[in-house]
Amino acid sequence: MRLGVCTGPENSGRASRAGFDYIECALNAIAALEDTDFDELLQKAPFLPAPILKCNCFLPSWLKVTGPEADELRQREYLELALSRAAALGVETVVFGSGAARFCPEGWPMDQAWRQLYGFILLAGEYGQKHGVKIVLEPLRTQECNLLNLVAEACVISALADHPYVGVLGDSFHMACGGEGPDALGRAGQKLWHMHISRHFQDLSGRGYPYPGDGEEYQALMDVLKAMDYQGDISLEAGTEDFDRDAPLAVERIRPYL
């Protein structure tokens, strides 16, 4: 298992010095770059100390997947642009969280929203396969989205899609918020392709970087991953006000489990 961190390309050197193997960048930000700015990033990508191997923040908030504003043509245009750029940068996996884009709006039938979400997942898989980039479904806590909140739900929709480029992500924070234990990862089986990890605030109001002696229990999670012969990677996803201080401590805390 490789250990990465969710951060921007400008922090690649700092991430590498802290001990991370790769970085996970926001795809919606990469897609929003002007062509000249993207070309500059593309030229730098092979020389980044910590390569861009994953992307999160799949969709911008304006690109609706559910509700009356969902537009397949706009979705296709975005998927082509974003995933072609991801592939050019060497990205292996894109995380589909994007709660604002997939949130079922008030007054919209929930069953129709689920059908729209399913249709978009198939569409994303189509473009992922075209460009050789895997898509993983990220369950989000209910405070961030009212659709697809549990690893168990992601497993169901992934199984129904039955697409070679659509898998499942487990996020330790969202799992804790949803009351799912590490055993939920084991039930995902070979469709579990990626993980997010963090230190949870005691009241589950947020998350931060792990650090030695933080009191968080990571062993049970890692035991499940090892028992199921997990083949994916783990990215740290959390906020920090001092990356250079907190990043090495997070690596010190998590690396021994790997």
Side-chain angles (χ1 to χ4, degrees), residues 3 106 137 144 147 169 174 238:
L3 180 62
E106 186 176 355
L137 310 179
E144 297 180 34
L147 278 180
L169 173 138
H174 293 298

Side-chain angles (χ1 to χ4, degrees), residues 116-207:
Q116 288 176 309
L117 177 61
Y118 178 73
F120 177 79
I121 288 169
L122 291 177
L123 197 63
E126 174 189 329
Y127 282 87
Q129 186 167 24
K130 176 181 177 181
H131 295 291
V133 179
K134 291 182 177 180
I135 312 296
V136 290
L137 310 179
E138 179 178 27
L140 299 173
R141 60 180 182 156
T142 55
Q143 292 93 325
E144 297 180 34
C145 192
N146 56 2
L147 278 180
L148 194 55
N149 306 119
L150 302 173
V151 171
E153 293 174 329
C155 291
V156 170
I157 201 165
S158 174
L160 290 172
D162 193 23
H163 196 288
Y165 276 76
V166 175
V168 174
L169 173 138
D171 182 298
S172 63
F173 173 64
H174 293 298
M175 289 173 63
C177 291
E180 287 190 300
D183 57 321
L185 301 174
R187 290 194 293 271
Q190 296 305 306
K191 274 297 188 178
L192 184 72
W193 294 348
H194 190 35
M195 281 291 305
H196 283 166
I197 196 169
S198 58
R199 170 179 56 85
H200 315 149
F201 297 166
Q202 189 170 7
D203 61 358
L204 296 179
S205 62
R207 52 186 165 178

Side-chain angles (χ1 to χ4, degrees), residues 41-258:
L41 175 60
L42 187 60
Q43 291 174 11
K44 293 178 180 178
F47 308 104
L48 291 176
I52 307 171
L53 298 185
K54 319 286 182 183
C55 280
N56 60 357
C57 302
F58 188 11
L59 306 178
S61 59
W62 55 261
L63 186 66
K64 301 303 181 184
V65 170
T66 60
E69 298 178 35
D71 184 325
E72 184 177 326
L73 178 58
R74 297 183 77 187
Q75 293 170 3
R76 286 184 176 276
E77 290 172 347
Y78 177 83
L79 288 169
E80 175 61 32
L81 172 65
L83 292 178
S84 63
R85 285 186 171 187
L89 291 170
V91 172
E92 302 168 349
T93 307
V94 168
V95 176
F96 179 25
S98 307
R102 78 183 199 213
F103 190 93
C104 177
E106 186 176 355
W108 191 256
M110 187 64 76
D111 62 330
Q112 189 168 343
W114 275 106
R115 286 193 291 270
Q116 288 176 309
L117 177 61
Y118 178 73
F120 177 79
I121 288 169
L122 291 177
L123 197 63
E126 174 189 329
Y127 282 87
Q129 186 167 24
K130 176 181 177 181
H131 295 291
V133 179
K134 291 182 177 180
I135 312 296
V136 290
L137 310 179
E138 179 178 27
L140 299 173
R141 60 180 182 156
T142 55
Q143 292 93 325
E144 297 180 34
C145 192
N146 56 2
L147 278 180
L148 194 55
N149 306 119
L150 302 173
V151 171
E153 293 174 329
C155 291
V156 170
I157 201 165
S158 174
L160 290 172
D162 193 23
H163 196 288
Y165 276 76
V166 175
V168 174
L169 173 138
D171 182 298
S172 63
F173 173 64
H174 293 298
M175 289 173 63
C177 291
E180 287 190 300
D183 57 321
L185 301 174
R187 290 194 293 271
Q190 296 305 306
K191 274 297 188 178
L192 184 72
W193 294 348
H194 190 35
M195 281 291 305
H196 283 166
I197 196 169
S198 58
R199 170 179 56 85
H200 315 149
F201 297 166
Q202 189 170 7
D203 61 358
L204 296 179
S205 62
R207 52 186 165 178
Y209 275 38
Y211 59 85
D214 60 12
E216 191 78 37
E217 175 54 57
Y218 304 103
Q219 187 66 58
L221 182 100
M222 297 301 178
D223 286 346
V224 169
L225 295 180
K226 290 178 181 179
M228 64 187 288
D229 192 27
Y230 173 66
Q231 297 297 307
D233 298 315
I234 297 179
S235 294
L236 167 60
E237 185 179 41
T240 175
E241 295 181 358
D242 190 338
F243 184 89
D244 292 325
R245 177 197 66 195
D246 294 339
L249 293 175
V251 173
E252 181 182 347
R253 182 72 168 105
I254 299 300
R255 178 71 74 181
Y257 293 106
L258 309 187

